[in-house]
């Protein structure tokens, strides 16, 4: 399984991340995502206040579509979530540790 660590919250990086995940899924590859750092806020159900991108670069739609198309599991870093006081997440499959995440992936790309 391909692993992706997402720590950035800049809209362009979120778009690149979502496009990368969607491309892997379109190729038939399962993907596990570990969301940490500032990116945790981007996955918060309370909302994300980042700048808007053009509709064609809607990273949330791209990621949601990828999840419907193939196997994409998204895990939120428990330590960062606690530090930010965030407990409800959009599109996440669970909250966990980096250790557990790395046990289940073959290689990792960082965004």
């Amino acid at each position: 399984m391909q692993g992706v660590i997402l720590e950035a919250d800049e809209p362009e990086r979120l778009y690149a991340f979502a496009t990368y995940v969607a491309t892997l899924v379109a190729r038939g590859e399962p993907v596990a995502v570990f969301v940490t750092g500032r990116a945790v806020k981007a996955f918060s159900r309370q909302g994300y206040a980042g700048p808007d991108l053009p509709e064609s670069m809607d990273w949330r739609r791209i990621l949601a579509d990828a999840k419907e198309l193939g196997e994409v599991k998204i895990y939120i870093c428990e330590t960062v979530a606690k530090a930010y006081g965030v407990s409800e997440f959009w599109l996440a499959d669970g909250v966990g540790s980096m250790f557990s995440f790395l046990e289940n992936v073959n290689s990792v790309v960082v965004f």
Side-chain angles (χ1 to χ4, degrees), residues 25-85:
V25 169
R27 292 174 39 148
E29 298 181 43
V31 181
V33 176
F34 188 76
V35 180
T36 189
R38 294 183 317 267
V40 168
K41 291 182 179 180
F43 279 79
S44 168
R45 282 217 185 264
Q46 287 87 11
Y48 175 63
D52 290 331
L53 291 174
E55 188 175 327
S56 64
M57 295 176 69
D58 182 351
W59 69 272
R60 286 181 171 247
R61 182 187 49 76
I62 294 167
L63 190 58
D65 288 350
K67 213 166 151 90
E68 285 184 22
L69 179 65
E71 185 179 348
V72 178
K73 299 293 183 186
I74 300 172
Y75 302 99
I76 307 296
C77 177
E78 61 189 345
T79 304
V80 175
K82 285 179 187 175
Y84 285 144

